[in-house]
Amino acid sequence: MSDTRVIKVNGEEIEVPSNLTLLQACEAAGEEIPRFCYHERLSVAGNCRMCLIEVKGGPPKPVASCAQNVRDLRPGPEGAPPEIFTNTPMVKKAREGVMEFLLINHPLDCPICDQGGECDLQDQAVAYGRDGSRYEENKRAVEEKHMGPLIKTIMTRCIQCTRCVRFATEIAGVDDLGLVNRGENAEITTYLEKAVESELTGNLIDVCPVGALTSKPYAFTARPWELRKTETVDVMDAVGSNIRVDARGREVLRILPVLHEGINEEWIADKTRFVWDGLRRQRLDRPYVRKNGKLVPASWDEALSAAAEKLQSTTANKLGALVGDLAPAEAIKALKDLMTAIGTPHMDCRQDGAALGGADRRAYLFNTGVAGLEQADVILLVGANPRAEAPMINARIRKVWLNNLNVKIGLIGERKDLSYDYDYLGAGPETLAALANGEGAFFDALRNARNPVVIVGMGALARKDGHAILSNVSRLVQAANIVREDWNGFNVLHTAAARVGALDLNFLPGPGGMRFGAILDGAQNGEIDVIYNLGADEIDAAKLKNAFVIYQGSHGDAGARHADVVLPGAAYTEQSAIYVNTEGRAQMANRAAFPPGEAREDWAILRALSDQVGKTLAYDDLFSLRRAMFEEAPTLGQIDQAGSGGGAFNLAALGEAGAADSAPFVSPVADYYLTNPIARASKTMVECSAVMRGAGKLAAE
């Protein structure tokens, strides 16, 4: 139990932990304290002075409440509780003086500021601002800074609170921002006028309290009161960050983070935040049927009839079904039931060929949970680049590294800048095998750790020898006692939002069935005549030329290019659906807008097709579908409950013993910004990709 103290806030006694700041203590007592520089997830700067309060028995001047802790307060006479005041004339005068000072150079541009209606400065100026200013000197103007394609700067508004600098340094782990010069010449800059090289730069917009940093893609697009706000779930990676989608009519115009301490805290990655323009480009908004070698628009009846005719005319053993990375669980369930009714065993959801799946879901989950990483004292990354594959998990690892000086992090795989220090152990399977044999100092660190963690990425598992790699990981986990009844440190880092849900639904090859790669090869050599492709676009689509392909998805990408029938589906913001993240947490995605044109929800398309095929599915509404889905996979109905509960499981069943290739581990995410059809359709993501590759503009416009 933490040490607590009794204090008085405006005459009311309250007991609070002694390590709280006075600002936090006042807010625990129900008193609102204005602030600019203070942020609960950043270090204390104490440079705006807006949070001034009066401490009885303290110095005869206001005190910055963010920079002093409860434990620092002196008791009153005869041991009486220390007293704090937030509403005295001295405090009011001090806050008004600070506000007047901060606004000396701030331009009167509220009508055009892109933070209109959401501005901390505006709100606090109403409460503490003066009706005039005693400063008659000319206002200072600061030239705009180049921070890349995502951040728009109006640096004359800047009050040097340094939130952005502290976020970049502490959370993102990049040193691109800083405060230069002194006095009137002080300004925040990127030093060398280059883009901020981080996957978390969009959060600078959120932490800026005065509109000096705003969203460049969103600038002058809409006002907050025009937008319909919907809380939902991100699918750009397998972390499942909680987000808010702001839409006007059918068009998504903004994506913002929603607080979830167990997953993304209050941050989101750049791809999550800025991919929204890809939701309206390259969309499939009507059915298509290939005639005379060309895809031509068709009616729904025509497209469904063409697909059904082909499904009915082919033998079950010549039919394959594929699931992509963005498919919702409901659509996966409907497709599995349809394929099972037809009788084909050729089904697979592992688009990357990962050696995963089985009855015990702990064998393919991030078992510690994202928040559980904070308990780790030794972390081993195997074939994973979390900075590109899961930026929010990488930020959590960096948090562990910052808060625990004794934490040890090791890496087997590509040597990359992960924003924290680590021991580079080796490049590939040979290093892993040696570690599994108990060799090296890092093995001793794992074995002696209180809470050891192994994170296995798709760079290790999505290989032809993935089963052998997984077997070596299993040997290491057993030898180092990483999985116990009280701790499960075996973690699989998925890269696809649909993958865990599909594995929970066992969308895998049946007896005698082909795996994902074999289905593609079968289509190329004639073993497979018909393929139902549910949004699989990160494939070698040229292999599908000889087969009849039914493609269902939201964007005209690689999968649709070689399709014979195109069935336009809804994107993740356009349908109510369940996604399961890498830690096994089922989350509900809510519809924020309607699909364009004639596009329909994914499960409804499959239900209509099943009727045409003569294998009518047993549900005709979303409620009935989910009920059937929960019966097959109960964990999908446990909304927002993480993982499997941990504990020991049969590690010996992981993988298959065999020889592993000597090739080094390589992350499947070669370009963070262009990993799926929605991202590739986004002009913003394409520009970010170009900038990060060095092809973009290097100087401010």
Side-chain angles (χ1 to χ4, degrees):
M1 187 176 176
S2 62
D3 182 31
T4 61
R5 288 193 65 182
V6 176
I7 63 173
K8 280 187 175 182
V9 180
N10 295 336
E12 298 290 330
E13 285 193 1
I14 182 174
E15 186 175 0
V16 295
S18 60
N19 62 347
L20 290 189
T21 63
L22 299 187
L23 187 152
Q24 292 171 313
C26 290
E27 294 201 329
E31 299 292 338
E32 183 179 357
I33 305 294
R35 85 291 302 264
F36 289 116
C37 70
Y38 178 79
H39 192 286
E40 287 193 351
R41 301 188 193 274
L42 304 176
S43 61
V44 174
N47 54 0
C48 80
R49 322 309 284 185
M50 195 65 209
C51 65
L52 295 173
I53 60 173
E54 183 178 351
V55 178
K56 188 175 181 180
K61 62 180 182 179
V63 173
S65 60
C66 69
Q68 186 171 345
N69 290 343
V70 172
R71 67 166 69 93
D72 301 325
L73 295 175
R74 293 187 300 176
E78 300 180 1
E83 292 193 58
I84 298 171
F85 299 97
T86 67
N87 53 11
T88 62
M90 180 174 74
V91 171
K92 184 175 185 296
K93 183 180 179 181
R95 289 177 180 174
E96 289 177 352
V98 168
M99 177 66 72
E100 184 183 7
F101 179 75
L102 291 177
L103 296 181
I104 293 174
N105 297 303
H106 198 90
L108 299 176
D109 60 352
C110 286
I112 64 167
C113 176
D114 219 46
Q115 284 204 344
E118 299 174 325
C119 179
D120 294 339
L121 176 61
Q122 198 172 54
D123 294 341
Q124 293 183 39
V126 170
Y128 305 104
R130 295 170 57 99
D131 58 356
S133 175
R134 291 168 288 179
Y135 298 94
E136 297 179 354
E137 293 80 6
N138 292 330
K139 290 194 174 189
R140 181 184 77 148
V142 182
E143 67 179 33
E144 312 311 346
K145 311 299 179 185
H146 173 67
M147 293 190 183
L150 303 178
I151 307 297
K152 177 182 172 66
T153 65
I154 307 92
M155 300 309 293
T156 303
R157 298 174 185 161
C158 179
I159 60 170
Q160 286 88 45
C161 73
T162 69
R163 277 190 181 184
C164 56
V165 178
R166 285 174 284 148
F167 175 87
T169 305
E170 297 167 14
I171 308 296
V174 295
D175 296 324
D176 294 340
L177 286 177
L179 181 68
V180 299
N181 304 324
R182 300 182 66 182
E184 187 179 354
N185 296 320
E187 56 184 279
I188 303 289
T189 181
T190 56
Y191 299 124
L192 300 177
E193 295 288 319
K194 68 182 185 68
V196 181
E197 295 180 358
S198 171
E199 299 77 26
L200 304 175
T201 55
N203 297 288
L204 298 174
I205 301 165
D206 294 338
V207 300
C208 180
V210 295
L213 305 177
T214 59
S215 172
K216 186 177 287 187
Y218 173 73
F220 310 118
T221 298
R223 292 298 189 190
W225 53 84
E226 300 174 339
L227 304 176
R228 182 178 63 257
K229 304 168 181 62
T230 306
E231 292 191 5
T232 183
V233 179
D234 172 55
V235 300
M236 293 297 109
D237 54 34
V239 179
S241 298
N242 283 221
I243 58 174
R244 193 189 85 192
V245 176
D246 291 357
R248 182 172 61 193
R250 289 178 175 263
E251 191 174 5
V252 173
L253 297 179
R254 187 170 62 169
I255 296 175
L256 298 174
V258 169
L259 177 68
H260 194 302
E261 294 291 354
I263 304 176
N264 57 298
E265 297 183 300
E266 62 184 80
W267 320 117
I268 54 174
D270 287 348
K271 186 165 53 176
T272 299
R273 185 186 295 268
F274 295 107
V275 79
W276 49 266
D277 67 318
L279 289 167
R280 62 175 182 264
R281 293 189 172 93
Q282 299 181 15
R283 290 300 303 269
L284 300 173
D285 58 358
R286 65 180 66 183
Y288 290 86
V289 174
R290 189 173 297 275
K291 295 180 180 179
N292 300 321
K294 293 185 178 181
L295 286 172
V296 297
S299 66
W300 269 108
D301 285 342
E302 187 179 356
L304 290 174
S305 296
E309 182 181 348
K310 200 67 181 180
L311 290 173
Q312 289 174 316
S313 63
T314 194
T315 60
N317 202 46
K318 286 185 170 289
L319 169 63
L322 308 175
V323 163
D325 292 348
L326 306 182
E330 291 85 352
I332 297 169
K333 166 65 175 173
L335 180 59
K336 181 190 175 185
D337 288 351
L338 177 58
M339 294 297 110
T340 302
I342 293 174
T344 180
H346 309 310
M347 297 182 286
D348 204 348
C349 63
R350 298 164 299 188
Q351 186 172 224
D352 53 11
L356 291 169
D360 196 328
R361 67 198 307 254
R362 289 172 293 187
Y364 54 83
L365 292 186
F366 201 94
N367 289 290
T368 62
V370 179
L373 282 175
E374 297 187 23
Q375 304 175 46
D377 47 359
V378 178
I379 300 173
L380 174 64
L381 302 171
V382 181
N385 177 5
R387 183 168 178 179
E389 298 166 19
M392 299 319 306
I393 288 180
N394 197 66
R396 194 74 71 145
I397 297 174
R398 175 174 170 82
K399 183 179 179 181
V400 174
W401 175 75
L402 282 176
N403 295 340
N404 184 357
L405 295 176
N406 297 317
V407 70
K408 289 182 68 69
I409 303 173
L411 171 67
I412 303 175
E414 293 179 282
R415 193 193 292 265
K416 296 284 189 179
D417 179 9
L418 299 180
S419 75
Y420 43 81
D421 296 334
Y422 58 83
D423 297 330
Y424 184 70
L425 306 178
E430 295 175 355
T431 306
L432 175 62
L435 204 61
N437 292 332
E439 302 174 15
F442 202 88
F443 175 82
D444 295 332
L446 280 170
R447 184 175 56 185
N448 298 326
R450 183 178 178 182
N451 293 324
V453 167
V454 172
I455 300 176
V456 190
M458 294 302 113
L461 300 179
R463 302 165 34 125
K464 291 183 178 180
D465 59 352
H467 287 288
I469 301 295
L470 188 58
S471 178
N472 279 334
V473 172
S474 172
R475 290 199 301 117
L476 171 62
V477 169
Q478 294 177 77
N481 198 26
I482 293 172
V483 174
R484 313 183 295 264
E485 288 297 334
D486 62 333
W487 176 256
N488 189 341
F490 173 74
N491 294 316
V492 175
L493 180 58
H494 290 276
T495 56
R499 189 65 42 77
V500 174
L503 293 175
D504 285 346
L505 289 166
N506 199 36
F507 197 95
L508 298 170
M514 297 180 182
R515 294 170 59 89
F516 203 104
I519 294 175
L520 295 181
D521 293 338
Q524 188 175 30
N525 60 33
E527 294 181 46
I528 298 291
D529 290 338
V530 180
I531 286 184
Y532 198 102
N533 183 352
L534 181 60
D537 292 280
E538 287 69 46
I539 60 175
D540 185 1
K543 290 185 175 182
L544 305 177
K545 289 181 179 180
N546 298 331
F548 186 94
V549 179
I550 305 166
Y551 177 80
Q552 178 180 333
S554 60
H555 284 69
D557 205 80
R561 196 170 300 126
H562 295 286
D564 296 280
V565 175
V566 175
L567 306 176
Y572 70 105
T573 57
E574 298 161 358
Q575 56 187 326
S576 177
I578 290 174
Y579 289 92
V580 187
N581 75 349
T582 191
E583 59 180 354
R585 186 191 302 266
Q587 299 189 102
M588 187 73 71
N590 297 308
R591 182 169 61 196
F594 287 93
E598 300 177 39
R600 298 180 181 178
E601 294 185 22
D602 286 321
W603 77 268
I605 295 173
L606 287 157
R607 172 62 177 77
L609 179 60
S610 72
D611 198 36
Q612 292 269 7
V613 175
K615 305 287 185 181
T616 305
L617 298 177
Y619 31 80
D620 54 7
D621 57 54
L622 191 57
F623 177 79
S624 302
L625 168 57
R626 284 178 176 164
R627 184 169 57 189
M629 186 170 67
F630 298 158
E631 288 176 359
E632 181 175 352
T635 53
L636 292 179
Q638 299 167 5
I639 302 299
D640 205 32
Q641 295 184 29
S644 57
F649 66 102
N650 184 15
L651 289 164
L654 292 178
E656 299 173 3
D661 192 343
S662 61
F665 298 141
V666 178
S667 172
V669 180
D671 190 330
Y672 164 73
Y673 296 101
L674 305 176
T675 56
N676 60 64
I678 302 176
R680 288 189 289 272
S682 166
K683 291 176 64 177
T684 304
M685 293 295 99
V686 170
E687 187 175 356
C688 286
S689 175
V691 169
M692 293 307 157
R693 293 197 313 268
K697 300 177 182 179
L698 299 180
E701 296 179 353

